[in-house]
Amino acid sequence: MVLVLYYFKCSLFLFSELDLLPFLVTFLLSFWEVQYGIVGGIAVSGFMLLYNIARPKLKVSDDDVLVVALDNGLNFPASEYISNVLYTEALLVSPPRSAILDCHHVNNIDYTVVNEIRDLLRQFDLRGVCLVFSGLSIAVLEVLLAAELPGLRHMDSVDAALQSLSGNKAFN
């Protein structure tokens, strides 16, 4: 039994070190009472899942134009985080610069995200630079077009967005 548990922990560690955390919490709290171990493991797994949703991995390319590629979906918990990244990396620098938000992994958005995008577009417009969306799925594009966002620009790819911005007077 100990050998099986040791093998399981070693193979789990090889795949993902972070996956050991709920396992260890469950294992250690089970010594107190089994139900506490189960609840503790579920709670830690839930917090880890919510953190990944609220703080998606972003790939930021920093040239003349800021290109931010989202690693996963765009939803309510992540909208403020992504907005803060775009604001600090593109608008608070001197001079402000245009940004491209690569959304090819985004498959749905909600009302809160649409409102956050509206605010971002307004902030970019006030500073005389552009925010361009690339790789939008048809469902997401329909939602954004239905929201009638002023200044919404979208392209099929990041390269097309870069070409669009290179011919734009707002390009810095």
Side-chain angles (χ1 to χ4, degrees), residues 67-121:
V67 178
V68 178
L70 298 170
D71 190 29
N72 56 10
L74 182 59
N75 48 30
F76 161 67
S79 64
E80 187 175 339
Y81 173 68
I82 293 168
S83 177
N84 286 338
V85 168
L86 285 170
Y87 191 76
T88 57
E89 297 288 328
L91 298 178
L92 290 181
V93 296
S94 181
R97 56 192 172 160
S98 296
I100 299 171
L101 191 60
D102 185 7
C103 300
H104 69 275
H105 288 296
V106 177
N107 54 11
N108 61 7
I109 59 174
D110 60 9
Y111 178 74
T112 309
V113 174
V114 171
N115 282 336
E116 196 68 39
I117 290 172
R118 180 176 283 120
D119 290 340
L120 270 174
L121 289 170

Side-chain angles (χ1 to χ4, degrees), residues 98-171:
S98 296
I100 299 171
L101 191 60
D102 185 7
C103 300
H104 69 275
H105 288 296
V106 177
N107 54 11
N108 61 7
I109 59 174
D110 60 9
Y111 178 74
T112 309
V113 174
V114 171
N115 282 336
E116 196 68 39
I117 290 172
R118 180 176 283 120
D119 290 340
L120 270 174
L121 289 170
R122 187 173 40 88
Q123 290 296 323
F124 272 81
D125 188 45
L126 287 173
R127 287 170 176 76
V129 290
C130 296
L131 175 61
V132 180
F133 294 86
S134 70
L136 292 171
S137 68
I138 293 174
V140 172
L141 182 58
E142 287 175 353
V143 170
L144 292 177
L145 291 175
E148 298 178 357
L149 300 171
L152 176 67
R153 296 177 61 187
H154 60 90
M155 299 290 165
D156 291 334
S157 67
V158 174
D159 292 333
L162 286 169
Q163 289 176 356
S164 167
L165 287 175
S166 67
N168 189 356
K169 294 178 184 175
F171 177 77

Side-chain angles (χ1 to χ4, degrees), residues 53-75:
I53 291 171
R55 298 287 187 259
K57 293 179 183 171
L58 302 176
K59 184 179 178 185
V60 178
S61 302
D62 196 4
D63 294 323
D64 291 336
V65 175
L66 184 72
V67 178
V68 178
L70 298 170
D71 190 29
N72 56 10
L74 182 59
N75 48 30

